[in-house]
Amino acid sequence: MGMEKVETASEHVSKEQRKTLYRKVLVVVSISQILGGAGLAAGITVGALLAQQMLGTDAYAGLPAALFTLGSAVAAWAVGRLSQRYGRRTGLAAGFAVGGLGSAGVVLAAIFNSVFLLFAALFIYGAGTATNLQARYAGTDLADRKQRATAVSITMVMTTFGAVAGPNLVSVMGNAALSIGIPALAGPFLLSGAAFLLAGLFLFVMLRPDPLTMAKKLAVQEEVLTRDGAVAAAVNKRGLAVGAVVMVLTQMVMVAIMTMTPVHMGHHGHGLREIGMVIGFHIGAMYLPSLVTGVLVDKFGRTAMSIASGVTLLLAGLVAALAPDDSVVLLIVALSLLGLGWNFGLISGTAQIIDSTTPFTRAKTQGTLDVFVALAGASGGALSGMVVAHAGYAALSIGGGLLSLVLLPVVIWSRR
């Protein structure tokens, strides 16, 4: 039945045609990632500060990250299934549109000083974050095995342009918001809403032919199906498990430390400009090294780069914990290492998952696994505020760094 949709309707696709389509998809997805990166940066930079301002306490300052990450979990599941059924184009466009609506809701919540509306809107805003991450898979649909990690990295490195610009526009957007009667901390969400909506519209118009649909046609052409039409059992369960654990742990550690850094800096006299600079370096380190990371993952293997991820996250936690409260430079170093460790883990884990699936189950499997990644981030965000309130920022940083070492035995198990 599923075969009928891709069967003889598929024309023969040559290797040259596949290469051309692969390059086109990478360009389209990369442009959407620039816009999506600008959108996700707003919530990361000022979400915790907005909640702190409206609630009047630090204990729940981690809730915004938890909420938009929880929202991204639901969205990852939905986008994965929409993409599996209707193609990447429909799934990604819908996810970005919902994220844009969530950004608008945050602005309204700030205007009316409604905490309930703020939390509901942040949950919906999470759809944009999930979709931006799901888009990395679209670039791999037409890649061969030796290009997969590199394809992920190309789309992610393009996110850098928007993601680094976003935090550094915090002050500008804050002033722009004040000029039209909107609270300053809601200003970045104006940028976020416009960026998400534009990303979704661009993908909907330009992502033709759909890469996942073409991958299914190529799979039939290359006889991935068995004689009776059932999908071949080519799913490597161990690869899925290891890829998921790597991404889950790196996401949890990264979100926990990242969420409370702006609050920690605010307590020690740093303004929005310094906070925006630190988060800008952090997001740059999350995405900018991607081009090199992808090549390294394809060349040296998924295992080696997963181990590098755990070690780098441990260093990030130690530097953050030991940095003097007034040292912006050391916080930049710590958050840059945090972003780099996350980058290593996400790309190596993503490559494992792509290696372990077929086009006929890939999108929904990716969506399901991204749910666990998002829930890990939600847990890290929710617990981070409570840990800092009771034990301090240094304890959170050291604890996160030590947690990342769990990656080592998992990766060693995968090699057995």
Side-chain angles (χ1 to χ4, degrees):
M1 289 176 283
M3 183 182 174
E4 292 171 7
K5 296 179 181 179
V6 295
E7 202 176 21
T8 54
S10 70
E11 300 172 3
H12 182 83
V13 181
S14 69
K15 286 185 178 181
E16 284 306 313
Q17 287 174 311
R18 178 174 182 160
K19 285 181 182 177
T20 302
L21 288 172
Y22 166 63
R23 285 193 287 263
K24 180 190 173 184
V25 168
L26 278 184
V27 171
V28 171
V29 172
S30 294
I31 293 171
S32 76
Q33 291 286 84
I34 296 173
L35 294 166
L40 68 88
I44 291 172
T45 308
V46 299
L49 297 174
L50 189 57
Q52 180 195 34
Q53 186 182 79
M54 293 175 72
L55 292 168
T57 176
D58 288 350
Y60 302 103
L63 269 180
L67 284 167
F68 69 67
T69 312
L70 190 61
S72 75
V74 176
W77 181 88
V79 170
R81 273 152 182 73
L82 271 175
S83 298
Q84 191 70 61
R85 185 164 185 178
Y86 300 107
R88 298 284 188 192
R89 176 174 158 263
T90 300
L92 296 177
F96 274 129
V98 173
L101 292 176
S103 299
V106 172
V107 175
L108 289 175
I111 292 172
F112 295 109
N113 197 33
S114 169
V115 172
F116 176 78
L117 180 57
L118 173 69
F119 288 167
L122 284 169
F123 180 83
I124 297 170
Y125 166 85
T129 307
T131 307
N132 201 62
L133 268 178
Q134 286 270 309
R136 76 192 187 275
Y137 291 120
T140 69
D141 285 330
L142 297 174
D144 62 38
R145 186 181 176 87
K146 293 181 179 178
Q147 295 174 314
R148 286 169 178 166
T150 303
V152 173
S153 66
I154 289 171
T155 55
M156 285 182 61
V157 79
M158 298 306 291
T159 309
T160 310
F161 296 104
V164 172
N168 287 294
L169 290 173
V170 164
S171 295
V172 175
M173 293 305 298
N175 292 334
L178 285 173
S179 70
I180 55 174
I182 295 174
L185 288 177
F189 284 95
L190 291 171
L191 172 66
S192 174
F196 280 157
L197 291 173
L198 282 172
L201 180 62
F202 181 77
L203 283 171
F204 190 74
V205 172
M206 299 300 295
L207 199 60
R208 300 168 187 267
D210 190 275
L212 185 59
T213 303
M214 289 301 299
K216 291 178 183 178
K217 291 179 179 179
L218 286 164
V220 174
Q221 186 175 299
E222 293 164 6
E223 299 179 347
V224 172
L225 297 185
T226 59
R227 288 174 61 187
D228 65 355
V231 178
V235 177
N236 179 341
K237 291 182 180 178
R238 181 173 290 202
L240 285 177
V242 174
V245 169
V246 169
M247 292 200 298
V248 162
L249 283 176
T250 53
Q251 183 78 358
M252 181 180 288
V253 172
M254 187 275 289
V255 171
I257 297 175
M258 173 198 69
T259 298
M260 294 311 297
T261 298
V263 176
H264 170 72
M265 292 180 69
H267 278 317
H268 294 93
H270 299 290
L272 278 179
R273 186 175 178 181
E274 289 83 5
I275 293 170
M277 187 189 309
V278 170
I279 297 299
F281 272 95
H282 167 66
I283 297 177
M286 286 172 67
Y287 295 100
L288 192 57
S290 294
L291 198 52
V292 175
T293 304
V295 173
L296 293 174
V297 171
D298 280 333
K299 185 170 183 179
F300 296 109
R302 285 62 166 140
T303 301
M305 295 308 294
S306 296
I307 292 172
S309 170
V311 173
T312 307
L313 289 172
L314 174 62
L315 288 174
L318 292 175
V319 174
L322 297 173
D325 297 331
D326 61 348
S327 176
V328 174
V329 172
L330 281 180
L331 284 173
I332 286 174
V333 172
L335 271 287
S336 296
L337 286 170
L338 186 70
L340 183 63
W342 176 87
N343 178 272
F344 289 168
L346 186 76
I347 294 180
S348 58
T350 297
Q352 287 242 44
I353 287 166
I354 297 165
D355 291 344
S356 305
T357 54
T358 73
F360 301 93
T361 58
R362 185 166 293 154
K364 67 179 182 181
T365 302
Q366 290 162 343
T368 301
L369 291 177
D370 273 5
V371 168
F372 292 105
V373 174
L375 289 174
S379 302
L383 294 173
S384 63
M386 296 178 186
V387 172
V388 169
H390 293 96
Y393 179 75
L396 173 72
S397 301
I398 291 174
L402 293 174
L403 181 61
S404 67
L405 292 182
V406 175
L407 289 176
L408 300 183
V410 172
V411 171
I412 292 168
W413 168 76
S414 75
R415 297 285 294 172
R416 292 179 59 189

